[in-house]
Amino acid sequence: MKSINCLSFVLIFLLDSCNSWSKPKITLDEFFNNTEFLSLTLAPNNDPWILIQTIYPRWDQNIFEYHLHLQSLNGTSKKLITRHTTDSLRPLWQDDWIAYSFEDQSKKVDDEEQQHFIQLYSTRTQQIFSLALGKEPIHAFTWSNKNTSLYFATQTSWSKESETEYKNEWNDAIEYREKERGDTIFRVNFEDFAQIRIEAVTNISLQVAELLCSPDGKTLVFSTVSRSRQIESINDYEIYSFDLTNHLSSSPVQLTNNQAIERNLKWFNDDSILFTVIAEGSIEGEYHDTQGRLYSISLVNGRIHRWADQFTGSVTGFALLDYGHRGVIILGQLNTEIQIYTQLSPTSPLIKRIGWNGTYEKLVTSSTDNISMIAFIHSSFDTPQEVYFVDIIEHLSVANIVTNENIIFTKRNLPKGTSYQWMNEEDGTEIEGVLLYPPDKFGQKNLPLLVLIHGGPYSASLNAFRTDWYNCAMMLATEGWLVLQPNYRGSTGLCYGDQFLHDVIHEFLSRPGKDILFGVDALIKDGIADPKKLAIDGYSYGGYLTNWLITQTTRFNVALTGAGGVENVVDWGTNDMPLSNFYFLGGFPWQIPSRYQEQAAIFQLDKVRTPTHIITGGNDIRVPVAHNYLFERALRSLDIPHKLIIFPNEGHDIGINPWHGKIKIREELKWLHKYGFICVWTCEETLISLGNS
């Protein structure tokens, strides 16, 4: 029997090898021609249709194009509703109407301001009607309980007279913060499209992030962000309600008063709201970041209950089963996978549902007659992202595929992935990450190693299939590199719970940096990585760590870094989320100046010997572009080989021009080819002594 099993294994291996050898490797052009799914919405009343929002690169126009289309659940029919060049809020489907926001840059108001619309698509007549809502951008919108009205929130407008008076006094000078305004929530009625009526409902001193109307039409619930949209004070982030039946009341009622940012609001059982807090503060006590959590709050008594409270990973999303009457479906990340769970109530057991290995995302439901249709996106190391659906939660493992948008990847010889564990030898903490092997080299030894560090830090590298300028491990592996994606201290979803996140406080570079270097040591000890061919790569917080680590060791032949900080005081003063600097470092710069210096690469850049490639968006305020100019000037002064590329008009997400992401990867691959196999300092430095680094 043993010999038969061995023979079967050999035959399977040979067949698999022959299959992969017959497929070409993915090209850079193919890598960037993927389809990204932005949102899913199932038809109401269990009609066999799904609304899919996607994004595509338009190379000939230097833009991304956003598509909204209807697709039958059997995959045989597809109807394009609209395509446009600006990102929009998630579409909302109620009965025969689909509502979506639209910014028409071709239409002006008084030849000064562009017009903002909500467009309505009739699934019955296939007509589109436009609701012109003014010059202020739409922050949030929701259906009322009727098909003839919507609620929406925009920044409170100045009167024409006030605006003229201000311009006459100040010309083009800017009073910093003085022009920041809160929001007005409006109701737009369109019983007759020829006579649209817009009326103000209430004002609030903050900006609206999400907006819901109760099923009975009597209550609005909304969450808020700061007027500047910068995360400076946690007090700006709360949930409010507004009684639509009390015509004497003009002020919303604050429902929450905690140290957390609430997101993903959904009505639950008529008198409660479900929401998530994902590594952005805590409902319980003083501010501290936790793994993703799911809560419900009663609008009757204000009590808050936590769901899945025994789950040690991170809740990443949820949806209702039968409008909440049968509880919720929860997306839960544990280690390197996101799987599906169900829970009937906060006190009921959490049940893991049997499905496929890999990562489930963007799960949605639609219910009628005690039946809940379920749709989701799934992917894994070797299975590209597509949309699937089931009509019974117990049938997850035999879900039906709806789309074939990324079928090209199934015809290519792809890298193969696996999880990998190692120990931080300094404090005994187990760390896990993802290894992606080059095509046809799975399980081989002595491979050139590239460490690809995810951003965040509250994020994680997963058993998932992603292809873009940020999630570039597949392209790097296709070029012959073994890619380690470490889930260092601070990463979400690891089975160690909240402490794994808290361990980065006060040591937000040095401690995760050691986790990463011990991972490199482990791969070398296991004979998997070639100690003479090491590279490091990271963007955003991954860029911070890349910049830091090349000051701690010269073992990396080459570094690729993007939007990474090197100095903490300027970072706190100029980025759009200074609360994170305060939290990670433990105070303001004047309170703990030594820590701001100790955890900054700029003060140790004289140790750098690694040729470094840098990229940044010219308009980045998440990690201000000044960091990159500072870093480049330092490397130039030290005579270290380097290159800085600026992508104009791009923010942190590099989402304006698709060529920018493609150029990023193209130039980084050139840099790897030029320097990746040349030891820049001493190839004898294979295993480091972290205590002296």
Side-chain angles (χ1 to χ4, degrees), residues 353-356 360 376 390 392-400:
R353 296 298 180 171
I354 298 174
W356 301 316
Y360 291 86
F376 52 83
V390 291
I392 301 176
I393 187 67
E394 288 79 12
H395 291 175
L396 276 178
S397 59
V398 290
N400 299 292

Side-chain angles (χ1 to χ4, degrees), residues 668-684:
E668 288 177 340
L669 291 174
K670 289 180 182 178
W671 199 259
L672 283 172
H673 181 74
K674 183 176 182 179
Y675 292 106
F677 304 118
I678 303 172
C679 293
V680 297
W681 193 237
T682 168
C683 284
E684 282 68 40

Side-chain angles (χ1 to χ4, degrees), residues 353-495:
R353 296 298 180 171
I354 298 174
W356 301 316
N357 292 334
T359 294
Y360 291 86
E361 301 174 86
K362 295 180 171 60
L363 183 146
V364 294
T365 59
S366 177
S367 302
T368 187
D369 298 328
N370 296 320
I371 298 175
S372 286
M373 300 287 286
I374 303 164
F376 52 83
I377 295 166
H378 177 269
S379 70
S380 62
F381 290 132
D382 52 5
T383 305
Q385 285 191 345
E386 297 292 357
V387 178
Y388 299 82
F389 91 96
V390 291
D391 52 10
I392 301 176
I393 187 67
E394 288 79 12
H395 291 175
L396 276 178
S397 59
V398 290
N400 299 292
I401 190 167
V402 177
T403 61
N404 281 293
E405 296 284 339
N406 294 309
I407 194 172
I408 184 66
F409 296 106
T410 66
K411 301 176 181 180
R412 294 296 179 262
N413 187 5
L414 300 174
K416 292 188 180 297
T418 186
S419 60
Y420 182 75
Q421 295 83 29
W422 66 92
M423 190 76 70
N424 180 316
E425 302 291 345
E426 186 174 85
D427 59 21
T429 300
E430 185 178 271
I431 310 297
E432 184 172 22
V434 167
L435 271 183
L436 207 60
Y437 283 83
D440 304 323
K441 293 188 177 180
F442 186 77
Q444 291 190 19
K445 301 286 188 177
N446 205 38
L447 296 170
L449 173 68
L450 184 143
V451 182
L452 180 60
I453 308 172
H454 69 71
Y458 300 143
S459 181
S461 295
L462 303 171
N463 177 5
F465 195 103
R466 291 169 178 163
T467 56
D468 55 56
W469 64 265
Y470 177 76
N471 298 289
C472 56
M474 183 180 298
M475 197 68 241
L476 297 170
T478 297
E479 291 294 313
W481 290 87
L482 172 72
V483 181
L484 170 66
Q485 301 172 80
N487 288 330
Y488 49 80
R489 233 79 64 91
S491 301
T492 54
L494 280 295
C495 62

Side-chain angles (χ1 to χ4, degrees), residues 547 550 559 561 608 610-614 631 635 640-643 671:
N547 300 344
I550 61 174
T561 182
V608 174
T610 306
T612 303
H613 189 280
I614 313 165
F631 192 27
L635 295 176
I640 302 299
H642 68 282
K643 185 174 185 177
W671 199 259

Side-chain angles (χ1 to χ4, degrees), residues 4 25-26 54 107 141 308 324 336 344 347 363 416-417 429 436:
I4 293 175
K25 295 179 182 178
I26 189 172
T54 55
K107 296 183 179 180
F141 73 95
T336 59
L344 182 60
T347 57
L363 183 146
K416 292 188 180 297
T429 300
L436 207 60

Side-chain angles (χ1 to χ4, degrees), residues 505-526:
I505 297 174
H506 301 171
E507 299 177 89
F508 83 111
L509 294 179
S510 55
R511 178 163 282 178
K514 291 178 181 180
D515 290 343
I516 293 166
L517 292 181
F518 276 120
V520 176
D521 285 347
L523 286 168
I524 293 172
K525 288 178 182 178
D526 290 343

